[in-house]
Amino acid sequence: MPEFQTAPGTRDILFPESGRWRRFVEVFASVVEAAGYGQVIPPMFEDIGVFHRLGEATDVVTKEMYDFEDKGGRHLALRPEQTASVCRAFVQHRPTTPWKSWYAGPNFRYESAQKGRYRQFDQVGIEVLGVEDPYADVEVIALAWRFYEALGLRRVTLLLNSLGEPADRARYVEALRAHFGAHLDALSPESRETLRRNPLRVLDSKRPVDAELVAAAPTIDAFWSEAAAAHFATVQGGLRALGVPFTAALRLVRGLDYYRRTTFEFAGEALDAAQNAVGGGGRYDGLVEDLGGPPTPGIGFALGLDRTLLACDAEGVFAPPGSMVSAFVVDTTGGAEALELTDSLRRNGISAERAFDGRSMKSQMKAADRSGAAVALIVGSDEVVAGTVVLRPLRGGGEQRTVARAAVIDEVRKVIG
Ligand code: HAM
């Protein structure tokens, strides 16, 4: 074992997998930019106070934050998510509303690492600030759905809920406290502890002993104000109008505390149930104010890149890109021929690589094959004298032939299309 390896919960993304990561973000950008969202790139660390607004009773804040003091004595934290950062940026720069932004990048949470759960993980997401309209909720959710469609993912379930207005939610929390409190002995010790800190999160328990009580717990709909119920009805109607299928999940709670009204999660049905949330989001109408800004409604989502790609693997869609280059130059003369030919291919927009270190013809041909290139361009001493190049198609058949050095760019273009 080498002395140094990636820390638990972190990974190297090597190629060609890294090409898939980049394409993921490109596809996402194309979907949301076509809807008028612009990219925001917040810093990866901020004053820890920004993230305290995610909820003092959430694991993300109490247990999982990577926080540290810098040399100037500031208490900073690596961002565990980007919604709070986007809202902080909004308060700091005061752009005009509606402010529709998208982002992509790594986040950090000190979680117990396992497949699909990492300490550094990537998200793509959007946030809309300054819009109350339930049709904004619909737009946001539908954009996530259209993105999954663009990836080719089919086995995704949209779980939809509303946590109501803060007062509705507070009454619901009391009802949950009463429900679980009346059966404390039947609850797991972990859930008893959760109940003390954050009764909503007990609904999230996956422990078999808790299952019965969770299933019998009251649902939020009985606590919705008229306005919250109407908002939610419009959201559902809008999703139906767009043909975005959803399942009402009236016990769905999220891991962060800033949510009000619409909340949702996307479950990858091809993944293990414990780690199948490939994305989630909702409304957070109080967050901007909490961060010192004017009252500003907000809604958005974040999709986990790591997990969504696991779902893609499980469904056999959105494969890593194939070969990186179109042409591979094989040169046994040891001169500058390969150098010049490769350079002129690249300058003419044809991706190309070559072998180094004066390898044998056989070994260079092997490398050409491995590269995934569509053609090998072979230069020997005869070709140098004759001013020609041997063009050998490596994929999809086709005859090897000798072409004039001056015509090689055109000939390669014909082969690679
Ligand atoms: P979240 O549910 O904490 O929400 O994370 C969103 C997604 O990020 C999850 O569904 C999951 O796919 C991925 N994710 C979270 N933690 C991990 C992890 N440790 N390893 C791998 N993937 C992970 C948020 O972060 C909110 N900021 C979403 C939002 C945006 N709400 C409103 N706007």
Side-chain angles (χ1 to χ4, degrees), residues 55 92 94 111 128 183 261 269 297 353 378 380 405 416:
Q92 183 173 340
R94 295 294 175 93
E111 302 207 61
V128 180
H183 306 91
R261 294 195 276 185
E269 298 307 331
E353 59 168 334
I378 306 164
R405 174 71 177 74
I416 64 177

Side-chain angles (χ1 to χ4, degrees), residues 9 11 54 60 64 80-84 103 107-128 140 148 253-256 258-259 262 264-267 271 275-284 287 298-308 310:
R11 300 178 297 155
L54 303 179
V60 171
E64 298 171 359
E81 56 109 62
Q82 294 171 65
T83 309
Y103 51 83
N107 311 282
F108 307 86
R109 297 181 193 176
Y110 192 79
E111 302 207 61
S112 63
Q114 50 192 289
K115 191 175 181 196
R117 186 174 291 280
Y118 308 101
R119 290 181 177 169
Q120 176 178 331
F121 60 94
D122 268 62
Q123 288 180 339
V124 294
I126 62 175
E127 310 292 347
V128 180
V140 163
Y148 290 132
V253 288
R254 310 254 311 117
L256 305 162
Y258 48 55
Y259 292 109
T262 312
F264 53 92
E265 216 156 81
F266 297 98
L271 296 178
Q275 242 74 251
N276 73 351
V278 290
R283 266 201 178 271
Y284 45 85
L287 184 56
I299 175 152
F301 65 69
L303 313 180
L305 208 154
D306 310 71
R307 264 187 222 173
T308 307
L310 287 174

